[in-house]
Amino acid sequence: MTNHSETTGSPDNGDITGPEARSGRQPGAQKNTGSDASGPHTPGPAYDSHGGEHQVTLRTPAELADALPYLLGYRPEDSIVLVALHDRDGRGRFGGRARLGIPANADDWQSAARQLSHGLVRGSECRGARPESMVAFLCQEPEKGETGRQVMERLRPLAQRLRVECGSLDVVVVEALCISEGRYWSYCCDNAACCSPEGALMGLPGTSVLAAAATYAGIQVRGTLRELRARLLPWESAAALEQEAALDTASMSLVPKILDDVGRAAVADETLNLAGRILDRFADAQPVSGTLLADLRDDELLGHDEAARLILGLQDRATRDRAAEWMEGDEAARALRLWRTLARRCVGSYGEHAAAPLTLVGWVAWSTGDELEAREALAMALGADPDYLFARLLHQACNEGLDPESIRSCLRAERKGRGHAVAELSNAPADADDPAGRGTAAAPDVRPPAGQRPGAAVTTESEPRDKPERTAGSTPARPRSIRATDSRRVR
């Protein structure tokens, strides 16, 4: 589970959006506690947004069902979603959200319900705001030959387990909805006037009062989670075979160099110089409309050999960290396009190598305020390599709602420090044996201080890099051997 707000879990099923206390713009929900024989739910204390300026009050299951995509930023599929509610002066407000994929095996439902409910409650407590109640959503489309109502009945035991697990924590589930086949059902309301046994039709997307308020507040719904992840998945077309062949060829050349200290510095400079040229190429590209066309354009702008050299070069921690300095402004937007493109090129047996570009996608997305893509990219990076430390640390920091500015400050300082080191090196007197004044360091590209791309420059880390162990005469066939051989290097 990846909780988009307050807890951290496994990347296998995960996702969700950050706490709305930071944005103050999310819509709210109505607490539904019963039914009235004469009509819809009896009005009760309303649940609204954290901010008074864009306040929306929700009072019915229909309004709650309509609110879900705006709470998450996308339309969930095959998902259990819990939303925390906090009471204040008789009015509730949405808190954290947590999403988990619905386990295919019903025997796993109890543990999934426990993981989700306990994770959200404990995460809320760590943030100093224990929820008083919850709203639960079960979202799943029918299988072949199944109806939406049959989905609702099949998932009823899961809804009950969620209510029991939340109840064991003294947090009541005030509404539990099943959304399937364009309809919704309530597990808490037995009033046919407002919650028909046949299910009530969902409204057309974007036509509700909430949709208008969300648009005004700048809240976007970006399709489904599957569509978001599709931009980062490796190719499965015929071109994937050509890309894998290019990776094989590049690995034979680059891996031995990366395993050598002198060669490693040279590969780092080559990788960052090449990435800089690709970013300039992206900047000059003609704009297109739509994410699919934009991704296809970027794929065409990057050759197989170029992609292979970048993917392999980024397996080095220091090179990846310098690439992470493209994190702000127009530079960040172009870098995000490049890292997405490289993630799609980690094909075939090179799937594990996607951890590096996916982590850079996650970092740049988080740095520029897109927490949804950040969490999904980092979860996918951990799926590619569960031991990838940089992804794990960023994933945890993002889920805990930390400010990325602290990391940006460190990266700016690193860039500025290298710029000063290059300037000092350029001004140092040359000795008789080294007329160029370079000593034993790799020849640097002179770099201006902060504010410009991190291109190639001599690396001046405060601590020397660990020299990887290497068996004499060995030349690994795959770049993943870097990880097996250089096990001491922090990734």
Side-chain angles (χ1 to χ4, degrees), residues 135-442:
V135 175
F137 299 87
L138 300 179
C139 307
Q140 191 174 74
E141 290 305 302
E143 298 178 356
K144 187 175 181 180
E146 190 178 32
T147 66
R149 182 173 181 178
Q150 288 172 328
V151 171
M152 181 271 294
E153 293 295 349
R154 176 168 52 80
L155 296 179
R156 186 182 292 276
L158 176 55
Q160 182 60 24
R161 292 184 186 280
L162 286 169
R163 298 173 73 180
V164 170
E165 291 296 337
C166 289
S168 69
L169 299 170
D170 295 325
V171 178
V172 62
V173 175
V174 295
E175 183 58 272
L177 298 177
C178 177
I179 299 175
S180 180
E181 208 174 22
R183 294 176 176 268
Y184 70 86
W185 290 261
S186 171
Y187 291 112
C188 298
C189 175
D190 56 4
N191 184 0
C194 64
C195 298
S196 167
E198 301 303 321
L201 283 172
M202 300 279 293
L204 292 175
T207 60
S208 66
V209 174
L210 174 60
T215 301
Y216 180 76
I219 300 170
Q220 298 180 351
V221 177
R222 294 185 293 179
T224 66
L225 195 60
R226 183 180 305 168
E227 292 168 343
L228 178 64
R229 288 173 170 168
R231 305 188 71 186
L232 304 174
L233 292 173
W235 286 349
E236 294 183 352
S237 62
L241 297 176
E242 299 177 18
Q243 182 61 68
E244 187 170 12
L247 284 161
D248 286 338
T249 301
S251 70
M252 298 299 292
S253 169
L254 294 181
V255 168
K257 295 180 181 179
I258 296 176
L259 293 175
D260 176 78
D261 275 351
V262 176
R264 182 179 172 193
V267 171
D269 289 346
E270 293 169 3
T271 299
L272 293 168
N273 274 327
L274 175 58
R277 294 195 298 272
I278 301 301
L279 293 189
D280 291 339
R281 191 183 302 169
F282 279 10
D284 295 336
Q286 292 295 322
V288 297
S289 59
T291 57
L292 177 58
L293 291 178
D295 290 344
L296 290 173
R297 174 204 58 196
D298 292 344
D299 287 337
E300 293 175 355
L301 292 173
L302 186 64
H304 295 315
D305 293 340
E306 293 173 325
R309 298 188 73 85
L310 290 174
I311 290 168
L312 294 170
L314 290 173
Q315 302 308 304
D316 176 63
R317 173 190 60 81
T319 307
R320 178 210 64 204
D321 289 350
R322 288 166 63 184
E325 293 171 10
W326 288 311
M327 60 185 177
E328 297 175 287
D330 293 339
E331 198 173 58
R334 293 191 293 270
L336 192 57
R337 290 165 56 190
L338 176 56
W339 309 144
R340 288 194 196 111
T341 304
L342 293 180
R344 295 193 291 270
R345 301 294 188 97
C346 294
V347 297
S349 59
Y350 290 86
E352 181 184 349
H353 291 71
L358 284 171
T359 300
L360 289 171
V361 170
W363 159 239
V364 177
W366 185 35
S367 177
T368 54
D370 188 349
E371 294 188 2
L372 175 57
E373 182 169 14
R375 288 185 177 89
E376 290 310 316
L378 292 170
M380 292 175 70
L382 290 172
D385 184 353
D387 298 322
Y388 204 75
L389 183 58
F390 190 32
R392 185 171 297 281
L393 293 175
L394 289 175
H395 194 239
Q396 180 177 354
C398 189
N399 279 326
E400 291 179 354
L402 302 182
D403 189 345
E405 178 57 29
S406 59
I407 303 176
R408 285 195 295 259
S409 297
C410 290
L411 291 174
R412 291 190 200 105
E414 288 288 333
R415 175 187 285 189
K416 185 175 181 180
R418 281 198 308 276
H420 289 164
V422 170
E424 292 174 2
L425 188 61
S426 300
N427 295 329
D431 56 41
D433 296 327
D434 185 12
R438 292 188 297 266
T440 58

Side-chain angles (χ1 to χ4, degrees), residues 442-461:
D445 284 349
V446 178
R447 156 208 312 279
Q452 297 190 18
R453 118 170 11 113
V458 63
T459 302
T460 55
E461 296 178 336

Side-chain angles (χ1 to χ4, degrees), residues 27-40:
Q30 158 63 24
K31 178 180 179 181
N32 296 296
T33 57
S35 59
D36 184 353
S38 62

